[in-house]
């Protein structure tokens, strides 16, 4: 299968990758729906909402400080690095991520479309002005926006919120044009991100899934690799690069 996918990549001009929490799992970032996705007794769906922030801002910031602390300690893994190299095999390449951990950029990927924002940034809950500080927020003393006095919140997309319009538009455009689309480390159940692989497939792309577990997408995919991305992606790159040299 790796050889077949390598051949497809060699013939393709436009590639799109969608990543989810699974690509960062081998760096030590807990996934959302895995067993380690809980913080205290809370599920992400209970804390990553405007309602939770309005009623319990202190609790929400405690959770984000915990997640920021985890992310500061981790490094990109071989899966992130392999995607930097994969980009060079396409004339046109887009890396779309649902992750807010910034590890793709840290690995060296350019032009990352961050659908759900970035956990290290903050913004005003009222006027959306960006708050340029990566330092942890004191949950007991949440700063107020210097412009309008609104509370400062993480610059991530919460449940029930719209994705940044220009970013999701570009992600759909790239997906519609893709010759090959990779869905990597995502449970493929949170929309609109989960619609991107389907959009690409309907428009004629070859769909490749990399995930140790099956997802709703597995039925649709042309190739399913039931493997960890930190192992599979470097293996794919090795096959691709040796066949390109041959
Ligand atoms: P999930 O936690 O839903 O899914 C992670 C996926 O990664 C699962 O399907 C795992 O099987 C897979 N996985 C685990 N380890 C892996 C590995 N080493 N290599 C490859 N895959 C692996 O995370 P997402 O799909 O990213 O949204 O979740 C989507 C969105 O739901 C998140 O962005 C977040 C969340 O609620 C918001 O916060 C708006």
């Amino acid at each position: 299968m790796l050889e077949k996918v390598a051949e497809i990549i060699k013939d393709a001009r436009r590639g799109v990758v969608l990543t989810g929490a699974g690509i960062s799992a081998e760096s030590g970032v807990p996934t959302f729906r895995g067993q380690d996705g809980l913080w205290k007794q809370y599920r992400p769906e209970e804390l990553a909402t405007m309602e939770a922030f309005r009623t319990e801002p202190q609790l929400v910031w405690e959770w984000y400080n915990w997640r920021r602390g985890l992310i500061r300690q981790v490094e990109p893994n071989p899966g992130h690095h392999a995607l930097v190299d994969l980009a060079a095999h396409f004339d046109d390449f887009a890396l779309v991520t649902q992750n807010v951990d910034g590890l793709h950029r840290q690995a060296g990927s350019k032009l990352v479309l961050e659908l759900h924002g970035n956990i290290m940034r903050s913004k005003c809950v009222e006027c959306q002005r960006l708050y340029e500080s990566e330092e942890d927020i004191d949950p007991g003393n949440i700063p107020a926006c210097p412009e309008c006095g609104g509370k400062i919140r993480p610059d991530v997309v919460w449940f029930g919120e719209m994705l940044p319009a220009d970013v999701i538009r570009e992600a759909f455009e790239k997906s519609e044009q893709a010759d090959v689309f990779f869905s990597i480390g995502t449970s493929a159940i949170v929309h609109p991100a989960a619609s991107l692989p389907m959009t690409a497939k309907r428009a004629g792309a070859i769909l490749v899934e990399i995930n140790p577990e099956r997802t709703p997408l597995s039925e649709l995919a042309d190739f399913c690799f039931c493997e960890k991305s930190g192992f599979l992606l470097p293996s794919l790159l090795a096959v691709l690069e040796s066949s390109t040299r041959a």
Side-chain angles (χ1 to χ4, degrees), residues 34-107:
Q35 295 199 327
D36 52 359
L38 292 180
W39 174 72
K40 302 192 175 168
Q41 75 275 33
Y42 299 100
R43 287 178 296 115
E45 289 87 338
E46 294 175 86
L47 296 175
T49 69
M50 181 55 95
E51 201 195 337
F53 189 72
R54 291 233 188 264
T55 54
E56 297 194 79
Q58 181 162 347
L59 180 71
V60 172
W61 263 117
E62 280 172 19
W63 180 51
Y64 276 100
N65 283 346
W66 173 75
R67 290 180 59 200
R68 283 179 167 193
L70 273 177
I71 287 165
R72 279 195 197 99
Q73 286 168 26
V74 302
E75 299 280 338
N77 66 56
H80 296 103
H81 290 297
L83 290 180
V84 181
D85 298 335
L86 183 67
H89 290 267
F90 293 95
D91 296 338
D92 189 61
F93 182 80
L95 176 50
V96 185
T97 189
Q98 298 165 89
N99 299 345
V100 295
D101 56 30
L103 289 177
H104 287 304
R105 282 184 209 280
Q106 208 177 313

Side-chain angles (χ1 to χ4, degrees), residues 19-26 30-34 44-45 48 63-64 67 77 97-100 115-116 156-160 163 184-190 193 209-215 227-231:
T19 62
I23 190 141
S24 296
E26 288 156 88
T31 60
F32 287 93
R33 292 171 184 80
E45 289 87 338
W63 180 51
Y64 276 100
R67 290 180 59 200
N77 66 56
T97 189
Q98 298 165 89
N99 299 345
V100 295
L115 294 178
H116 293 163
V156 298
V157 175
W158 282 337
F159 287 95
L163 274 60
I184 304 173
T186 175
S187 55
I189 54 175
V190 177
E209 182 176 59
I210 302 171
N211 194 320
E213 289 173 18
R214 288 185 71 77
T215 74
E227 302 275 3
K228 294 183 174 182
S229 47
F231 163 74

